[in-house]
Amino acid sequence: PQPGQFVAPWQVNSAGLYDLTSYNNEYFYRLRNFISQAAERAIVVEVSPFCFRYNDGYWQASPKHPANNLQGVGPQEKEQVYTFQNNHLLPYQEDFARRMAAELNEFDNVYFEMINEPYSRHDHSADLEWQQHIAGVLQRAESLLPAQHMLAINYNNRTQSLAPDPAISICNFHYAIPEAVKVNYHLMRLIADDETGFCGQTADPYRREAWLFLLAGGGAFSHLDYSYTCQHPGGDAPIQGNTPGYGGADLRQQLGFMKRFLEGIEIWKLQPYNEIFAWNASAVPAQVMALPHQRYVLYFSENQPGRYHLLSLPAAHYRAEWINPLSGSTFQVNEYQHARGYLRVDLPAHAGDLLLHLSC
């Protein structure tokens, strides 16, 4: 933030100490205004009331450092801020969670994630206990309010087999892979690819990541768009050599097509269906969602022209639309009259990833 522009949730006294029992209304005004502006644009906001401190500089400046607050509470080490046992900050963390619940209760475009990247700590098991406790605090606070919001936990990077607390509706992974959905789909929770990056500085890897994850049965894809900065609020910041990801109008256009397509086929009515493939399914990496006997959507993250797939499908007449995910355009249409056995589908001469929409 620019000098004088940082606003914390707590008041500061004349000695420069934060009072963890006295809230700063300007902070909540800014927060509510931000959520309201997002709501006007049909944007859902994930609110993470807490975040791990990634270095000692951040921790030394934190209101929760014992040298910086009037109460003198807090551990000396940043790794101990979000523990459940012997944590003198816990009552203040609970109260802050309750205040956030009250301030944002009226908004329907919000869900809460307990803390961003808690697994950056050394003791992950204590983290999870703390997160589940804060989830309970939020759940009890909202039980006394008109609205109840979904709660999320950020479990890990890539994938992990989970046993979530009953209060948790959304299971967040950063840099998620389809396996995160496959091993947790039976839980009947929304599985989210909650952060992306470190896969290059072009649109292609992030477009592929989105399609593969969502057509594995994932329920949310949140991309870090590095073309948005304080100096470039329009999303036109140049992607430079040290940028840890990608962002720009081209990728936003491609993800926009993906969103419209998945909404148009009512993806929430479909289910993962990779069992459609016969034995040569590994020839091309792919994911499938289907509403059997009506609609099958196949995404191939790369193409090998001249190869084919054998698909186990019921007898029917099928219309096959081949779609370019980069442009959003249909470039080939085939009709198949399928009687029995496997339907052979030849991959078209198309460079890059491609989408096949089979309807009957």
Side-chain angles (χ1 to χ4, degrees), residues 90-322:
L90 187 59
Y92 303 99
Q93 294 167 337
E94 294 170 341
D95 193 67
F96 181 63
R98 287 189 288 265
R99 179 63 182 261
M100 292 289 279
E103 290 284 347
L104 301 183
N105 191 253
E106 69 181 85
F107 296 101
D108 65 358
N109 63 318
V110 163
Y111 67 92
F112 292 102
E113 178 191 71
M114 302 306 104
I115 177 174
N116 175 59
E117 295 192 342
Y119 41 84
S120 298
R121 288 185 59 252
H122 301 303
D123 183 1
H124 185 246
S125 61
D127 263 342
L128 189 56
E129 186 179 13
W130 178 90
Q131 289 182 86
Q132 292 177 163
H133 175 75
I134 295 297
V137 171
L138 278 167
Q139 191 176 48
R140 288 189 294 274
E142 289 206 317
S143 70
L144 305 175
L145 298 170
Q148 287 75 50
H149 293 87
M150 290 189 292
L151 304 180
I153 281 182
N154 180 195
Y155 285 98
N156 215 331
N157 287 346
R158 294 178 64 80
T159 185
Q160 178 184 331
S161 181
L162 303 176
D165 185 276
I168 302 305
S169 301
I170 302 173
C171 302
N172 283 339
F173 293 92
H174 289 182
Y175 322 110
I177 58 176
E179 185 68 16
V181 182
K182 295 176 183 178
V183 299
N184 295 300
Y185 192 77
H186 66 283
L187 298 173
M188 298 303 291
R189 303 290 205 282
L190 188 151
I191 312 298
D193 187 350
D194 189 54
E195 181 176 310
T196 63
F198 304 100
C199 288
Q201 296 180 329
T202 66
D204 285 358
Y206 305 105
R207 181 186 67 251
R208 289 185 169 96
E209 180 179 336
W211 279 104
L212 286 171
F213 184 80
L214 293 175
L215 287 187
F221 178 81
S222 302
H223 175 64
L224 292 190
D225 190 326
Y226 286 92
S227 67
Y228 287 101
T229 69
C230 293
Q231 291 73 33
H232 295 267
D236 57 356
I239 304 301
Q240 301 171 334
N242 60 350
T243 304
Y246 183 75
D250 56 344
L251 179 56
R252 292 195 291 273
Q253 183 179 26
Q254 294 161 30
L255 296 180
F257 164 72
M258 180 187 70
K259 180 177 185 291
R260 292 189 299 274
F261 176 84
L262 296 179
E263 288 175 345
I265 64 169
E266 298 182 315
I267 188 69
W268 48 89
K269 294 182 178 179
L270 279 60
Q271 64 190 54
Y273 216 71
N274 272 33
E275 58 264 37
I276 192 177
F277 289 115
W279 56 88
N280 67 334
S282 61
V284 179
Q287 291 291 344
V288 183
M289 292 282 280
L291 181 60
H293 302 280
Q294 295 186 39
R295 187 189 307 279
Y296 303 82
V297 180
L298 297 79
Y299 174 74
F300 303 90
S301 64
E302 59 186 72
N303 191 15
Q304 298 174 4
R307 303 300 293 268
Y308 65 89
H309 276 293
L310 298 178
L311 305 180
S312 177
L313 293 170
H317 179 83
Y318 291 92
R319 174 182 170 85
E321 298 176 73
W322 292 96

Side-chain angles (χ1 to χ4, degrees), residues 8-13 16-24 28 50 53 59 61-75 81 87-99:
W10 300 279
Q11 297 281 358
V12 181
N13 70 7
L17 296 176
Y18 293 96
D19 184 353
L20 300 184
T21 66
S22 180
Y23 288 111
N24 182 353
F28 292 102
F50 303 96
R53 270 73 179 178
W59 174 229
S62 172
K64 296 171 186 174
H65 191 286
N68 299 332
N69 61 70
L70 185 63
Q71 288 69 32
V73 296
V81 176
N87 183 357
H88 298 297
L89 276 172
L90 187 59
Y92 303 99
Q93 294 167 337
E94 294 170 341
D95 193 67
F96 181 63
R98 287 189 288 265
R99 179 63 182 261

